[in-house]
């Protein structure tokens, strides 16, 4: 027990330590401050701008920024879909894998371009090295950079600055943040035993004389951007529970920190760009506290174990079902909360085997999307809740709603409401349709409350751009592939459009002078009210689903455990 708690506390302390430094670095990148990397990267970036015909110093309006995001993503999607569907004729395919079905290729393309990386296939037996590296690996950088660029544009707009240039922000996100850290991380993972090779799968003879084929490939560089970019898609079907993706506790620590590094640090980046570090710290501690509480809930559930199994054993044991012995109950619980909180989606254990408390926390994280939230967009969602809190508190105390010296009016509230309302639409409507036909469409492998959680989790994972799954679903069907595409697209692009329009609206407002009646947003009281608004507006929307899923499952297990076993 104590070893597991020490591991969790150590990881949390590292997050607290690195976030302000990394946040300051990212703020410097997008504020145009000089760094030691300039002499190497500025010529590269200028060459890329020239080749792409990008006027990188020209600021974009909200509609222009939106158009750049959508057009670039569409072009990248067509490029990647072509590679996947033609992989049988392309090189770097040592096992001669054919192209997947059109619906699976479409789902995979949309999933990775939306930074979700939801996988309805086993990577090592479905996609070639070319598809993994040139298609999916490419999107892992660009989709993550798109999220960061949108977040930076949103922060600029909130603080009254021009939104900037999408193509410049996209380039800087890759060259200054994702690529340098990924190179260092990949080298560390190679040293720790993660393979990086283009050789074909190895063939070995077991002690029983049978032949075993051992998959391998260019895993290390794929793994680090999977974690750092909050992508989550595994090179192998078992994801980070596979020893070639995550061989030991040290690699597990590196990958956990990589998951949370950027979203946690972006809050500090906001504080610096807005010239209000105090508010940045207050928001950081608010999110960190929610995160820590959720870690405790999930870890406690896994440590107490399954009471039905404990009754049979006659002793209390942690829940070790679906967990790797390399990590145990503590690191699996911490990872589950972190991967669903950051919208990464990578797993080092099977979420389907979590106790109801763990299932509750993972769903809760994806419903809120701000602990720590998706790559860049999670930070933006946090400030959407801030804007709504300013509006609500302004109504209660009779003050004009203002945020960072700019009035919050009808247009801002409508756009903020769209961002929050699109999430339940993308989840609950397809989930209801699927559950209406449990035998022909749902494909669940568990009856009752857990089966409902399986279905809701899959659509929640898609809409939240997370990608993890309860697993156990027969989700490789045209129905699942196409309906989750609906959730993927709706959950990604409608909020991005609304966020950029909201930022553009705020940037074009005249700043209002601060007076004695101005509601300050950088106080502990307002931050506490914001936390309450997040829980009320975010959690209560999905409370019926939580009550019918993990909460009902917990009560059922508890009631069965009290029944005396003959």
């Amino acid at each position: 027990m104590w070893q597991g708690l020490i591991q969790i506390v150590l990881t949390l302390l590292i997050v607290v330590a690195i976030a302000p430094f990394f946040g300051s670095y990212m703020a410097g990148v997008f504020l145009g401050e000089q760094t030691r990397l300039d002499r190497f990267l500025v010529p590269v970036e200028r060459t890329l701008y020239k080749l792409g015909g990008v006027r990188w110093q020209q600021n974009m309006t909200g509609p222009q920024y939106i158009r750049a995001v959508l057009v670039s993503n569409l072009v990248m999607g067509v490029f990647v879909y072509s590679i996947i569907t033609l992989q049988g004729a392309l090189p770097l395919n040592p096992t001669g894998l054919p192209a997947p079905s059109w619906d699976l290729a479409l789902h995979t393309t949309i999933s990775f371009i939306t930074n979700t990386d939801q996988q309805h296939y086993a990577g090592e037996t479905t996609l070639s090295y070319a598809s993994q590296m040139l298609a999916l690996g490419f999107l892992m950088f660009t989709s993550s950079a798109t999220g960061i660029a949108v977040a930076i544009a949103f922060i600029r707009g909130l603080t009254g600055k021009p939104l900037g240039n999408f193509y410049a922000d996209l380039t800087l996100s890759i060259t200054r943040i994702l690529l340098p850290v990924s190179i260092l991380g990949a080298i560390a993972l190679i040293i720790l035993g993660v393979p990086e090779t283009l050789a074909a799968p190895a063939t070995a003879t077991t002690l029983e004389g049978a032949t075993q084929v051992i998959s391998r490939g260019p895993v290390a560089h794929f793994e680090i951007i999977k974690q750092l970019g909050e992508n989550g898609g595994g090179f192998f079907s078992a994801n980070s529970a596979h020893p070639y993706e995550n061989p030991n506790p040290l690699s597990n620590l590196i990958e956990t920190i990589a998951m949370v590094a950027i979203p946690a640090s972006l809050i500090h980046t906001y504080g610096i760009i807005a010239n209000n570090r105090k508010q940045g710290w207050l928001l950081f501690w608010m999110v960190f506290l929610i995160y820590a509480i959720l870690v405790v809930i999930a870890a406690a559930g896994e440590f107490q174990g399954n009471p039905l199994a404990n009754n049979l054993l006659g002793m209390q044991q942690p829940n070790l079902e679906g967990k790797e012995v390399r990590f145990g109950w503590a690191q699996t619980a911490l990872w589950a909360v972190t991967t669903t909180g950051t919208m990464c989606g990578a797993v080092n254990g099977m979420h389907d085997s979590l106790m109801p408390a763990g299932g509750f926390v993972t769903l809760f994280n994806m419903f809120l999307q701000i602990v720590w939230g998706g790559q860049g967009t999670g930070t933006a969602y946090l400030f959407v809740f801030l804007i709504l809190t300013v509006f609500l508190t302004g109504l209660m105390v009779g003050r004009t709603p203002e945020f960072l010296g700019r009035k919050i009016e009808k247009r801002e509230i409508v756009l903020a409401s769209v961002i929050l309302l699109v999430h339940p639409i993308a989840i609950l409507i397809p989930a209801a349709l699927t559950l209406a036909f449990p035998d022909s469409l749902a494909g669940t492998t568990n009856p009752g409350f857990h089966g409902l959680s399986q279905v809701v989790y899959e659509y929640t994972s898609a809409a939240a751009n997370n990608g993890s799954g309860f697993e156990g679903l027969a989700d490789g069907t045209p129905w699942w592939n196409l309906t989750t595409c609906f959730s993927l697209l709706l959950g990604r692009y409608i909020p991005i459009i609304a966020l950029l329009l909201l930022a553009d609206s705020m940037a074009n407002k005249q700043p209002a002078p601060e007076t004695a009646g101005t509601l300050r947003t950088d106080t502990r009281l307002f931050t506490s009210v914001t936390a309450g608004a997040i829980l009320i507006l975010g959690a209560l929307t999905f409370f019926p689903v939580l009550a019918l899923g993990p909460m009902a499952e917990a009560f059922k297990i508890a009631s069965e455990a009290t029944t005396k076993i003959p």
Side-chain angles (χ1 to χ4, degrees):
M1 170 182 171
W2 291 111
Q3 181 181 2
L5 291 177
I6 291 172
Q7 291 173 338
I8 291 175
V9 171
L10 176 62
T11 305
L12 298 183
L13 289 176
I14 294 174
V15 171
V16 173
I18 68 172
F21 296 102
F22 199 21
S24 297
Y25 170 75
M26 288 193 290
V29 167
F30 293 106
L31 288 174
E33 297 176 359
Q34 291 186 344
T35 68
R36 295 179 179 179
L37 295 176
D38 286 356
R39 59 181 297 187
F40 305 105
L41 295 179
V42 167
V44 174
E45 292 158 357
R46 299 286 172 83
T47 301
L48 292 174
Y49 297 148
K50 187 175 182 180
L51 291 175
V54 175
R55 299 175 181 177
W56 61 277
Q57 292 179 314
Q58 181 176 327
N59 292 315
M60 293 180 171
T61 64
Q64 288 173 334
Y65 209 101
I66 291 168
R67 191 180 307 114
V69 171
L70 297 180
V71 171
S72 64
N73 278 225
L74 177 61
V75 172
M76 289 186 287
V78 172
F79 169 71
V80 167
Y81 183 80
S82 300
I83 290 178
I84 294 175
T85 53
L86 295 174
Q87 74 171 18
L90 294 176
L92 296 176
N93 187 6
T95 53
L97 292 171
S101 63
W102 72 268
D103 55 292
L104 180 57
L106 179 65
H107 173 268
T108 302
T109 301
I110 293 176
S111 179
F112 276 77
I113 205 168
T114 57
N115 198 230
T116 308
D117 296 20
Q118 190 176 56
Q119 295 174 289
H120 290 170
Y121 62 90
E124 63 268 47
T125 58
T126 305
L127 297 181
S128 66
Y129 292 171
S131 294
Q132 296 265 41
M133 290 192 303
L134 304 179
L136 305 189
F138 164 72
L139 287 182
M140 282 183 170
F141 279 95
T142 56
S143 64
S144 177
T146 297
I148 296 174
V150 169
I152 295 300
F154 184 75
I155 292 171
R156 290 190 186 117
L158 288 186
T159 56
K161 300 178 178 66
L163 299 192
N165 186 292
F166 169 71
Y167 297 109
D169 293 337
L170 182 77
T171 303
L172 290 175
S173 298
I174 295 174
T175 59
R176 300 303 181 101
I177 299 170
L178 298 174
L179 193 57
V181 180
S182 293
I183 291 172
L184 296 175
I187 292 172
L189 292 180
I190 290 172
I191 293 172
L192 292 172
V194 178
E196 181 72 22
T197 178
L198 294 177
T203 303
T205 302
T206 66
L207 294 176
E208 294 83 6
T211 299
Q212 181 177 1
V213 177
I214 304 173
S215 297
R216 54 185 175 178
V219 183
H221 85 278
F222 193 93
E223 182 70 15
I224 189 61
I225 188 57
K226 178 189 89 172
Q227 301 299 113
L228 181 68
E230 290 181 41
N231 293 286
F235 194 94
F236 300 103
S237 178
N239 207 280
S240 291
H242 196 290
Y244 281 178
E245 288 197 28
N246 193 5
N248 53 56
L250 183 54
S251 67
N252 191 76
L253 175 63
I254 292 173
E255 293 176 21
T256 304
I257 298 300
M259 251 194 292
V260 76
I262 292 178
S265 302
L266 274 172
I267 298 177
H268 292 286
T269 301
Y270 156 79
I272 295 170
I273 295 178
N275 197 26
N276 193 340
R277 288 175 179 263
K278 179 183 178 182
Q279 187 174 46
W281 272 111
L282 286 170
L283 292 173
F284 175 85
W285 286 119
M286 179 194 76
V287 177
F288 182 86
L289 182 60
I290 298 173
Y291 171 59
I293 291 172
L294 295 177
V295 170
V296 169
I297 293 172
E302 298 310 302
F303 177 73
Q304 292 172 0
N306 190 328
L308 298 175
N310 290 342
N311 284 347
L312 292 173
L313 294 172
M315 59 187 298
Q316 190 270 327
Q317 287 286 337
N319 174 35
L320 297 179
E321 180 189 351
K323 295 176 178 59
E324 279 296 313
V325 294
R326 304 192 302 279
F327 313 127
W329 63 271
Q331 287 299 307
T332 303
L334 174 62
W335 184 293
V337 177
T338 305
T339 195
T340 51
T342 61
M343 303 306 139
C344 176
V347 296
N348 72 348
M350 294 300 103
H351 289 192
D352 191 49
S353 298
L354 293 172
M355 295 303 297
F360 175 92
V361 166
T362 52
L363 280 168
F364 184 83
N365 269 335
M366 293 187 290
F367 290 153
L368 290 186
Q369 299 192 87
I370 56 96
V371 189
W372 298 87
Q375 187 74 301
T377 54
T379 307
Y381 290 152
L382 178 60
F383 292 104
V384 168
F385 278 111
L386 270 177
I387 289 172
L388 289 173
T389 304
V390 168
F391 178 73
L392 294 173
T393 52
L395 291 178
M396 289 189 289
V397 300
R399 295 183 180 181
T400 301
E402 295 178 2
F403 185 66
L404 297 179
R406 287 164 176 79
K407 290 184 179 181
I408 305 299
E409 297 175 304
K410 177 183 176 181
R411 176 179 172 82
E412 289 75 46
I413 297 303
V414 169
L415 290 171
S417 300
V418 167
I419 293 167
L420 296 186
L421 291 175
V422 72
H423 195 48
I425 292 173
I427 296 170
L428 299 179
I429 291 179
L433 291 174
T434 301
L435 289 168
F437 303 94
D439 296 328
S440 57
L441 297 180
T444 57
T445 54
N446 286 278
F449 307 123
H450 196 85
L452 183 144
S453 295
Q454 281 184 312
V455 171
V456 172
Y457 192 106
E458 190 74 5
Y459 287 114
T460 304
S461 174
N465 300 143
N466 180 266
S468 64
F470 250 29
E471 304 310 333
L473 273 179
D475 53 18
T477 64
W479 171 261
W480 274 110
N481 288 333
L482 298 179
T483 55
T484 49
C485 280
F486 164 80
S487 299
L488 289 164
L489 293 170
L490 202 65
R492 175 70 165 182
Y493 292 109
I494 298 300
I496 282 180
I497 292 171
L499 285 170
L500 291 171
L501 291 176
L502 176 55
D504 192 48
S505 177
M506 293 291 285
N508 291 324
K509 288 180 179 288
Q510 290 296 323
E514 185 175 324
T515 66
T518 300
L519 179 65
R520 294 191 63 84
T521 59
D522 57 353
T523 65
R524 294 180 182 178
L525 176 61
F526 183 81
T527 305
S528 301
V529 174
T530 301
I534 289 171
L535 296 177
I536 292 172
L537 295 175
L540 290 186
T541 303
F542 296 97
F543 182 78
V545 175
L546 292 170
L548 292 172
M551 293 173 68
E553 184 183 2
F555 283 117
K556 179 182 179 182
I557 292 175
S559 65
E560 291 177 351
T562 58
T563 305
K564 185 176 180 180
I565 299 176

